[in-house]
Amino acid sequence: GEDVKPFTPEKTKEIVMSLQQPAVFCNMVGDWPALHWNAKYLSAVLDGKTIQFRLGLKTVGLVPQFETRCSYVKATLEEFLAWSCGQPSCLSGPFSCYEYSKYWAYADYKYIARIFEDKPEFFQDIRWSDFGFPGRSGKESTLWIGSEGANTPCHLDSYGCNLVLQVQGRKRWHLFPPGDTSFLYPTRIPYEESSVFSKVNITNPDLKRFPKFRNTTAHVVTLSPGQVLLVPRHWWHYVESIDPITISINSWIELDADHEARVEEAITRMLVCAIKSAENPSDRDPWLNPTEVEATSHEINLQYLNKAVSAYFKCQKASESEQPCSSSSGAEQRTTASCKRKKRAVGCEPEGCRLLTHEFGFPTFKAENLQKIPFGPHLIQVLPRSQETSSIGAVAVESDGRDLLHENEGGHFGKLHCTRKQLVMSNDCGTPAHQMDSDGSPNASQTALSTNDLLDCLVNPHVINLVAQLLLERTRV
């Protein structure tokens, strides 16, 4: 029958939980009602409900357009569609100050549970049970609606792995393996829990400031309607809409390793909030991402750290006694003031506590396991492109679902080697010549270290991982 899937739910979950490279599932969602969620349909269903859009410039500079650099408007989907079509009615609407030819708009991270809170029957239009997660529906999913050019800055997610369904239009994904972390110059400013941003605008990299970006290995894929992309844990990604209207639905799947990641995020939050809050108010940059409601107090952050540590040991004890981890630990953490969007979006799978155990960026996944993955027309690998093209910027890999593969022409898979010097200095040779005084010493006005420079070193993912290990060892003793 036409409803038969290429993989059973059990097999699909096995793939999702074990595969540590991006892949695209095809022919898995053909009977999902959510495939009909195009913009016109959603506009009629939401019937005048306003949602917040983030607006950015289509011009591409050397600096990423972080959310702190964007404008925001509240509008209906009807108004968004009229603006994207250039209708005269937009001259007086919420988008009136933003010319379509110069700006893109993005309604991102919209919780379906909130948007459809008065229409819960729509939750069942999304059936993640086909991927081996019974009970997971639209209630645990997020909606993304964007115009051409809408994008998410390059970042990695601290928690879980990600399943992304493309509903309307196409999106281009630029993905980088965890081993490329030091080459992407990680930063926690703007600060957002569970998101580590890259300082590099990967579509127009400043190779003088960020020379190590040349060492990255980009995996680029264009996701089309009806396809589902698996983004494994700690894979960096930059996402851009390449059609006039794009709609996606995603769900973050919690992993066993998230318990340690929450300890790392608690440490990071404590350090960032303490140091940035101590800055002179007149010198403060907009360091808090708009998705974060407020800079939480030291007392609250300490409570969160203790809860994260407690949950970690609770899960570890359950694993040692071969008992499934209680979902209460995840729920308990999500009630704290430091909860954020992705943490609220993912729930603890009762049976998922012992599925994976690996350190930051280095999953315990053996090469022979890759041979057991049933790649083919229904599961397509997203392979690295050549190093030569990966350092240039956005070279597209167009696809209609039949040509997603890209040959591996000598891709690089490096380990995480990151020091403070790599993060602070603008290139490998030290201070550039134009920043030197006549006597050969660094120009003080050019080399003065900022609070953010210090934080880039203190809360570098590799450093935080080591601190978390020491903290957990101390607690264990």
Side-chain angles (χ1 to χ4, degrees):
E2 58 184 26
D3 289 341
V4 175
K5 313 287 184 183
F7 307 113
T8 64
E10 294 75 20
K11 183 61 179 178
T12 309
K13 182 174 184 178
E14 179 186 332
I15 295 170
V16 169
M17 289 300 197
S18 62
L19 186 57
Q20 296 301 319
Q21 70 175 71
V24 176
F25 288 92
C26 302
N27 308 312
M28 286 291 294
V29 298
D31 59 344
W32 287 23
L35 277 187
H36 302 292
W37 284 22
N38 58 50
K40 289 185 178 179
Y41 172 79
L42 290 176
S43 177
V45 170
L46 294 176
D47 191 26
K49 190 169 190 174
T50 61
I51 53 179
Q52 182 168 270
F53 287 84
R54 175 165 60 94
L55 292 111
L57 287 167
K58 288 184 177 179
T59 54
V60 179
L62 292 175
V63 180
Q65 286 197 60
F66 292 122
E67 292 171 62
T68 51
R69 300 165 59 90
C70 292
S71 301
Y72 294 83
V73 301
K74 287 190 175 181
T76 65
L77 271 183
E78 186 178 5
E79 290 168 328
F80 167 72
L81 288 172
W83 173 74
S84 64
C85 295
Q87 293 183 12
S89 60
C90 294
L91 296 176
S92 59
F95 293 101
S96 59
C97 297
Y98 306 95
E99 189 178 331
Y100 177 73
S101 62
K102 297 180 180 179
Y103 289 87
W104 48 258
Y106 209 2
D108 50 359
Y109 287 106
K110 304 306 177 191
Y111 292 116
I112 292 174
R114 295 178 188 171
I115 293 179
F116 293 102
E117 58 186 350
D118 56 340
K119 298 179 177 67
E121 64 274 13
F122 281 89
F123 298 161
Q124 304 311 314
D125 286 7
I126 301 162
R127 304 169 179 173
W128 296 115
S129 57
D130 287 340
F131 284 75
F133 302 98
R136 186 177 289 259
S137 65
K139 191 175 182 181
E140 295 82 24
S141 304
T142 314
L143 183 67
W144 309 67
I145 304 171
S147 66
E148 185 176 359
N151 63 78
T152 303
C154 187
H155 68 284
L156 69 78
D157 300 319
S158 302
Y159 306 141
C161 62
N162 194 2
L163 289 173
V164 187
L165 165 65
Q166 194 61 27
V167 176
Q168 180 179 355
R170 295 168 301 155
K171 278 186 173 177
R172 186 171 295 128
W173 287 72
H174 303 245
L175 302 115
F176 302 87
D180 280 0
T181 293
S182 62
F183 308 142
L184 286 159
Y185 298 83
T187 182
R188 297 310 299 261
I189 305 298
Y191 174 73
E192 171 188 295
E193 187 184 343
S194 90
S195 291
V196 182
F197 291 102
S198 169
K199 288 185 175 182
V200 185
N201 183 347
I202 65 144
T203 62
N204 189 29
D206 185 345
L207 296 178
K208 289 184 178 180
R209 281 192 69 199
F210 309 115
K212 294 182 185 298
F213 181 72
R214 291 187 178 93
N215 299 326
T216 60
T217 304
H219 297 57
V220 183
V221 64
T222 300
L223 199 64
S224 299
Q227 298 175 337
V228 176
L229 173 67
L230 166 64
V231 182
R233 182 175 188 261
H234 285 173
W235 272 72
W236 292 84
H237 47 285
Y238 167 85
V239 191
E240 58 181 336
S241 298
I242 60 174
D243 281 331
I245 301 292
T246 63
I247 294 180
S248 310
I249 296 170
N250 86 294
S251 190
W252 284 279
I253 309 299
E254 187 166 89
L255 303 173
D256 179 28
D258 292 347
H259 291 281
E260 183 174 339
R262 285 196 171 89
V263 176
E264 295 175 1
E265 284 299 304
I267 296 169
T268 300
R269 172 177 281 274
M270 179 174 288
L271 289 173
V272 172
C273 287
I275 293 176
K276 292 299 287 184
S277 298
E279 281 187 316
N280 188 318
S282 62
D283 296 335
R284 286 185 192 172
D285 59 318
W287 62 275
L288 201 63
N289 217 38
T291 53
E292 293 288 335
V293 178
E294 61 182 354
T296 43
S297 69
H298 183 77
E299 182 182 5
I300 290 176
N301 291 337
L302 188 60
Q303 290 176 5
Y304 176 44
L305 174 60
N306 278 282
K307 286 186 177 181
V309 170
S310 176
Y312 171 85
F313 284 112
K314 183 177 181 181
C315 185
Q316 188 179 64
K317 184 177 180 180
S319 298
E320 292 171 353
S321 60
E322 297 187 350
Q323 295 293 326
C325 175
S326 169
S327 60
S328 62
S329 60
E332 178 180 298
Q333 291 175 52
R334 287 189 289 274
T335 62
T336 68
S338 55
C339 291
K340 54 95 49 184
R341 60 190 182 192
K342 284 173 219 170
K343 188 180 296 180
R344 285 193 292 264
V346 292
C348 183
E349 295 298 318
E351 73 279 18
C353 221
R354 298 170 58 243
L355 289 169
L356 291 176
T357 302
H358 46 84
E359 296 179 9
F360 181 87
F362 304 105
T364 55
F365 186 71
K366 297 181 180 179
E368 56 265 28
N369 291 339
L370 193 62
Q371 299 175 358
K372 300 177 183 177
I373 300 295
F375 293 118
H378 306 297
L379 181 66
I380 303 172
Q381 286 179 278
V382 181
L383 295 176
R385 67 186 181 195
S386 68
Q387 282 183 290
E388 180 181 356
T389 58
S390 68
S391 64
I392 297 174
V395 179
V397 178
E398 297 295 342
S399 170
D400 60 0
R402 296 186 297 273
D403 189 28
L404 286 170
L405 294 176
H406 200 79
E407 292 298 324
N408 182 355
E409 301 170 0
H412 169 82
F413 292 92
K415 289 188 176 181
L416 188 67
H417 296 294
C418 194
T419 66
R420 288 187 301 179
K421 184 175 180 180
Q422 291 171 351
L423 287 163
V424 175
M425 302 305 291
S426 58
N427 62 34
D428 288 343
C429 300
T431 307
H434 70 273
Q435 291 185 10
M436 303 290 284
D437 283 337
S438 58
D439 62 354
S441 60
N443 185 321
S445 63
Q446 294 290 337
T447 59
L449 293 173
S450 68
T451 304
N452 291 353
D453 291 326
L454 175 62
L455 281 171
D456 283 340
C457 299
L458 284 178
V459 298
N460 177 274
H462 190 48
V463 175
I464 290 295
N465 176 259
L466 293 175
V467 174
Q469 295 289 341
L470 291 170
L471 188 64
L472 291 170
E473 186 134 338
R474 174 187 293 263
T475 308
R476 185 181 290 109
V477 173

